[in-house]
Amino acid sequence: MTAPARAGSNAGSAEETDPRPLDQQIEDYRRELTGYCYRMLGSAFEAEDAVQDTMVRAWKGLARFDGRSSLRSWLYRIATNVCIDALNGRKRRAVPMDLGGPGAPVAGSLREPLPDSEWLEPMPDARVSTPAGDPADKAIAKETIRLAFVAALQHLPARQRVVLILREVLCWRAAEVAELLDTSVASVNSALQRARATLADQGVSEAAPGTTPVVDPAQTELLMRYMAAFEAFDMEALTALLHADVEQNMPPLELWFRGRDDVVAWMATGPGQACRGSRVAPVEINGTVGFAQWKPSGPNGEFLAWGITALRIECGAVTGLSIFLNTELFAYFGLPLALADRPELWEPKTAGIAGGGTVPPTA
């Protein structure tokens, strides 16, 4: 994907013609700064805190802003320093696949959950992409918050992370990145090469991968079929939608599975049976489709928050299920902990269950 030129200084002309005070213009950058800080930190909650810290520092420092750089560049400099400070001395956020091989789909494979601070967190698309705006910018914003890409970024040292995001996601010129980091263009180019090599080792070949449209009707249709099959707890229909090599992970649990048989076994005969009777509603998450799940786990069978799932879809089949079991995420996604508080979110799902047909091929 070739991103549109959006170098740091390119925003200057628009700012020069904006009649609003600078303190009002600053707020226009909240969403894109949230996306930047999320890629840097791997946490939706930490990204929000970092952006708020950036805004406060900017508001306090407006008197010192001399206009030699664009407002956008200045804000990114502040946000970069906030993120680097947050990363100093901290373990990188992980996904379960980083910690060991796949497990068996039985209760005996379960271990104590690790703290939420250990894990990569999901991000609602709406927090980083404006409803209006250039479609190409929106597509890039979504592509570059995909879980695989953000997870790979966490393997980079902080300054390499900055260089790769600014150069290859946001299309800054090497000289602009060098100025932001107070270093040389040669150092920036060297850091970029090392970052690219690390991403390649993680199986990510491009910083802005793919050409998936902002709204993919085929993915949406497959999601609807999957949600219908899941609510019906129809193992045959679910099997028809899963790729043979599908992977499922469930932070904060270390346990993860690889293979259609194990994913289905977890639900059909393993601890996943407890999800029978759940209700789900679609969400837009990390540039892909997904759903929120409420289990009938209340004292009187009330539907209570359980998890938020992101689907990875390739070649017409589900190749990945990332199920985030941190219910604090529901509020961040604008969702209630009890479905009864917003019953309009749920609709009966019957159409499309039988649309799976044959089992998708292995490759």
Side-chain angles (χ1 to χ4, degrees), residues 62-265:
L62 273 177
R64 298 191 300 275
F65 177 62
D66 55 16
R68 286 184 295 178
S69 64
S70 70
L71 179 62
R72 183 170 184 256
S73 297
W74 184 62
L75 290 171
Y76 270 87
R77 176 188 286 271
I78 298 171
T80 297
N81 291 333
V82 170
C83 289
I84 290 176
D85 288 346
L87 290 168
N88 281 339
R90 195 193 78 178
K91 289 173 58 179
R92 66 176 173 84
R93 286 181 176 262
V95 294
M97 291 75 76
D98 291 333
L99 305 183
V106 295
S109 300
L110 293 170
R111 301 288 184 270
E112 284 295 314
L114 295 179
D116 292 328
S117 59
E118 300 275 338
W119 301 109
L120 184 75
E121 292 174 352
M123 172 63 76
D125 288 4
R127 296 274 184 169
V128 301
S129 178
T130 56
D134 185 271
D137 286 351
K138 290 168 64 177
I140 292 167
K142 289 193 171 191
E143 283 288 335
T144 56
I145 60 165
R146 289 187 181 269
L147 288 167
F149 179 61
V150 180
L153 286 175
Q154 307 313 300
H155 289 263
L156 300 176
R159 288 173 71 88
Q160 285 186 29
R161 225 176 282 186
V162 173
V163 169
L164 187 130
I165 295 169
L166 293 181
R167 289 283 286 120
E168 301 219 326
V169 176
L170 300 176
C171 299
W172 286 36
R173 294 188 292 270
E176 293 177 308
V177 180
E179 181 181 359
L180 183 145
L181 290 173
D182 295 320
T183 189
S184 66
V185 169
S187 294
V188 167
N189 291 334
S190 176
L192 180 59
Q193 292 304 314
R194 295 196 301 275
R196 285 172 172 166
T198 300
L199 259 63
D201 289 343
Q202 296 299 313
V204 177
S205 59
E206 296 180 73
T211 56
T212 305
V214 174
V215 177
D216 186 335
Q219 288 193 358
T220 302
E221 193 272 338
L222 195 152
L223 169 69
M224 298 307 295
R225 288 165 54 198
Y226 189 92
M227 291 194 301
F230 183 80
E231 285 196 348
F233 231 59
D234 183 335
M235 295 301 124
E236 182 178 356
L238 287 169
T239 299
L241 298 173
L242 298 173
H243 191 278
D245 297 321
V246 63
E247 293 180 349
Q248 175 175 308
N249 63 91
M250 303 168 286
L253 301 176
E254 294 181 60
L255 180 63
W256 65 283
F257 315 120
R258 177 183 290 135
R260 181 195 298 133
D261 291 345
D262 281 359
V263 170
V264 173

